[in-house]
């Protein structure tokens, strides 16, 4: 296995190592998404807008009425039948995810759907029907006969298009991405037509049942925006939206619905002063107006609004409306899947709690930071440039802290530094930890795992599961770190690939972090803090400055 990018020597001259924000690759077929360790929690429903010249308070959800159409009681756990999905991809078609084939991407998506619900069953075929074994064609016909969703990706061969259309007439939900404009599209059994050919649902002209047009438009807009980002989280999300809208409720999407008048009443009764202060503060008002333009499910958009216009008044608003009073009546739990085991030995010895904490502390002491982020997987929270991690032991006995320092490019084009402070507590198993942070007025709780760290501390891989309960958001991801923000040495690629596999992450899912222009980061830790307990970092075989 060969690495496509080599790590330069770590010297004083390249401490400000500049790595362009490009797809990460361990092997020639590798690729990447982003890095998270500094998350702003956005108000997950649009609250304010300015119709005409007047500012009015309103409740709005952009994933919409259609997400309410399949409402049913969720108070008791029912055994649901499988949701059957068939995906057909163009043979040999290549995705934008670091040139991974669409077949690889959709097979991985099938696995990730199981993390949400074991009843979601997706099978993947290529469209080389004329050259396929007769048994394969019959198997595809059998799967299509009881499928509830058909997804076609990059299917352009006209013979394949005709065959698929003739064998999928009874499937109620058909969505076509990057395929022939002749592909049929249906949602909820209603045919949907696009004005612009060649892409997915560019503009809706008509729906066979007009009263469903508005609902279908909301679903289509949501899917289109998510698909355009071309990452594995959003590809899976597209399928979950279809399931939630037309088959049965998806529990993790139930939080997307506004509670209407009860939300407004709660806000006015409990948070009147905070609302007024926010409206009178230009930055806070801009943040809420910005959020109004985001789909409540678009965490990337929501985050950029908060990061661009964060202010004490916005924090007070979120603290009152969300954290203290939960006016949106949301709830989210830390995901249980994928299960990621921690490393069990370091330098040949069983991992203990003290050593695990020292691995987090990393290079702090020799350098001004513990680690710098090289690449990561979560597209909502892991895309920020110049990410520094600071881990340290506090003054109080047993206390441990994590402070990410990172840049944000605001919506107005400015680069600004941000910093957060997480409390870290040991879990029973060494190498696993609980993190918590009050971030812009909302508490996030996370479960972190040290997946692997090289013996010379030249790189590490940390995985996380998290949730901001009252914001209705749950998430997973992983960060690859090194002392200088450069990729690991070529000799470590097999070990790193194995670590990623433990997380259920493909190499082509990762994006590299832009480590250019990282001038004057606001680093430093509190006086009286402590660093390493059992590991001596000074004797490592790196060319330190």
């Amino acid at each position: 296995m060969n690495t496509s990018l080599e790590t330069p020597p770590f010297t004083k001259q390249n401490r400000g190592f500049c790595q362009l924000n490009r797809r990460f690759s361990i092997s020639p077929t590798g690729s990447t998404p982003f890095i998270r360790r500094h998350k702003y929690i956005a108000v997950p429903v649009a609250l304010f807008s300015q119709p005409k010249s007047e500012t009015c308070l309103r409740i709005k959800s952009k994933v919409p009425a259609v997400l309410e159409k399949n409402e049913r009681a969720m108070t008791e756990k029912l055994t649901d039948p499988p949701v059957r999905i068939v995906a057909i991809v163009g043979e040999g078609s290549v995705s934008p995810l670091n040139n991974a084939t669409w077949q690889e991407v959709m097979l991985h998506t099938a696995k990730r759907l199981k993390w949400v619900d074991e009843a979601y069953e997706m099978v993947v075929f290529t469209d080389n029907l004329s050259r396929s074994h007769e048994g394969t064609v019959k198997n595809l016909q059998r799967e299509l006969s009881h499928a509830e969703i058909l997804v076609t990706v990059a299917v352009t061969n006209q013979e394949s298009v005709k065959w698929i259309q003739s064998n999928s007439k009874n499937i109620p939900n058909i969505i076509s991405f990057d395929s022939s404009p002749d592909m049929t599209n249906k949602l909820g059994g209603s045919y949907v037509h696009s004005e612009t050919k060649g892409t997915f649902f560019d503009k809706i002209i008509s729906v066979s049942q007009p009263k469903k047009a508005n609902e279908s438009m909301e679903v289509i807009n949501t899917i289109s925006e998510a698909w355009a980002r071309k990452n594995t989280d959003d590809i899976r999300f597209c399928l979950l939206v279809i399931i939630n809208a037309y088959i049965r409720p998806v529990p993790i999407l139930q939080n997307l619905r506004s509670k209407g008048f009860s939300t407004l009443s709660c806000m006015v009764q409990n948070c009147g002063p905070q609302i007024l202060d926010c409206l009178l503060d230009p930055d806070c008002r801009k943040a809420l107006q910005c959020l109004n333009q985001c789909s409540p499910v678009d965490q990337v958009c929501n985050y950029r609004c908060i990061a661009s216009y964060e202010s004490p008044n916005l924090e007070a608003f979120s603290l009152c409306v969300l954290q203290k009073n939960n006016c949106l009546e949301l709830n989210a739990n830390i995901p249980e899947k994928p299960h990621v085991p921690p490393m069990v030995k370091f330098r040949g010895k069983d991992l203990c709690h003290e050593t695990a904490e020292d691995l987090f502390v990393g290079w702090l002491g020799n350098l001004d930071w513990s680690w710098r982020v090289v690449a990561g997987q979560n597209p909502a929270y892991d895309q920020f440039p110049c990410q520094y991690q600071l881990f340290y032991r506090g003054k109080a006995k047993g206390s441990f802290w994590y402070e990410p320092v990172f840049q944000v490019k605001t919506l107005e084009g400015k680069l600004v530094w941000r910093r957060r402070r997480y409390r870290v507590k040991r879990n029973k198993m060494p190498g696993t930890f609980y993190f918590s942070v009050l971030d812009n007025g909302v508490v996030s709780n996370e479960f972190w795992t040290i997946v692997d760290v090289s013996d010379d501390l030249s790189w590490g891989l940390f995985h996380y599961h998290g949730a901001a309960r009252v914001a209705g958001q749950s998430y997973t991801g992983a960060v690859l770190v090194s002392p200088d923000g450069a990729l690991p040495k070529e000799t470590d690629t097999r070990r790193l690939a194995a670590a990623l596999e433990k997380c259920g992450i493909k190499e082509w899912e990762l994006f590299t972090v832009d480590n250019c222009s990282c001038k004057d980061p606001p680093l430093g830790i509190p006086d009286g803090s402590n660093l390493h307990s059992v590991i001596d970092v000074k004797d490592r075989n790196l060319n330190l400055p």
Side-chain angles (χ1 to χ4, degrees), residues 457-476:
L457 274 72
S458 60
W459 64 271
L461 183 67
F462 308 145
H463 186 274
Y464 59 86
H465 300 76
R469 184 183 63 82
V470 298
Q473 297 179 2
S474 59
Y475 46 88
T476 64

Side-chain angles (χ1 to χ4, degrees), residues 197-482:
K197 293 189 176 183
T199 56
F200 167 69
F201 295 149
D202 300 277
K203 183 176 179 181
I204 302 307
I205 295 178
S206 64
V207 178
S208 60
Q209 299 180 36
K211 67 180 181 179
K212 296 184 178 181
N214 289 337
E215 293 180 352
S216 295
M217 176 66 85
E218 296 288 358
V219 173
I220 289 163
N221 286 342
T222 299
I223 294 173
S224 298
E225 291 171 9
W227 183 266
R229 289 196 287 266
K230 294 294 193 298
N231 63 73
T232 51
D233 279 18
D234 282 310
I235 291 170
R236 179 181 67 171
F237 173 71
C238 290
L239 298 177
L240 295 178
V241 168
I242 295 294
I243 295 171
N244 189 70
Y246 298 109
I247 299 176
R248 62 171 180 251
V250 176
I252 64 173
L253 298 188
Q254 303 310 299
N255 292 332
L256 305 179
R257 304 175 184 175
S258 167
K259 301 301 187 294
F261 181 77
S262 64
T263 296
L264 179 60
S265 176
C266 172
M267 291 171 59
V268 172
Q269 289 181 14
N270 297 294
C271 304
Q274 290 82 1
I275 294 172
L276 181 60
D277 289 343
C278 185
L279 292 175
L280 294 176
D281 177 353
D283 284 335
C284 190
R285 188 169 62 248
K286 286 180 182 178
L288 295 180
Q289 291 168 347
C290 179
L291 288 168
N292 191 54
Q293 304 305 313
C294 298
S295 165
V297 298
D298 190 341
Q299 294 183 11
V300 175
C301 181
N302 286 329
Y303 167 79
R304 290 199 67 196
C305 292
I306 298 297
S308 295
Y309 302 114
E310 69 175 59
S311 68
N313 283 324
L314 181 61
E315 181 174 357
F317 174 91
S318 300
L319 184 64
C320 184
V321 172
L322 296 177
Q323 193 62 47
K324 291 184 177 179
N325 294 289
N326 194 14
C327 289
L328 301 186
E329 303 175 39
L330 300 178
N331 187 44
N333 297 316
I334 296 177
E336 295 181 358
K337 295 180 181 180
H339 173 69
V340 180
M343 63 186 300
V344 295
K345 289 183 179 294
F346 179 70
R347 297 179 185 169
K349 296 181 180 179
D350 290 343
L351 189 70
C352 63
H353 291 295
E354 289 76 16
T355 299
E357 289 176 346
D358 279 3
L359 294 180
F360 270 150
V361 174
W363 290 94
L364 190 58
N366 291 86
L367 301 174
D368 294 331
W369 55 84
S370 297
W371 299 96
R372 295 188 65 179
V373 177
V374 180
Q377 185 273 334
N378 188 293
Y381 304 127
D382 296 348
Q383 80 275 37
F384 316 115
C386 301
Q387 300 180 52
Y388 296 83
Q389 295 186 325
L390 301 170
F391 287 95
Y392 59 91
R393 292 177 168 87
K395 296 179 184 179
K397 184 178 180 180
S399 65
F400 196 77
W401 301 92
Y402 165 53
E403 298 195 32
V405 177
F406 55 100
Q407 278 186 344
V408 171
K409 186 173 183 179
T410 71
L411 293 169
E412 295 174 347
K414 298 178 182 178
L415 278 176
V416 296
W417 287 104
R418 302 298 192 204
R419 183 165 177 159
R420 293 293 177 266
R421 191 168 194 247
Y422 289 72
R423 181 184 295 275
V424 181
K425 292 186 176 295
R426 299 173 178 175
N427 185 32
K428 291 181 179 179
M429 181 179 293
T432 59
F433 298 84
Y434 293 104
F435 286 44
S436 63
V437 63
L438 180 65
D439 191 341
N440 281 281
V442 173
V443 172
S444 291
N445 292 300
E446 301 176 357
F447 183 78
W448 280 53
T449 300
I450 299 178
V451 184
D452 202 359
V453 176
S454 65
D455 287 353
D456 63 357
L457 274 72
S458 60
W459 64 271
L461 183 67
F462 308 145
H463 186 274
Y464 59 86
H465 300 76
R469 184 183 63 82
V470 298
Q473 297 179 2
S474 59
Y475 46 88
T476 64
V479 289
L480 172 64
V481 298
S482 71

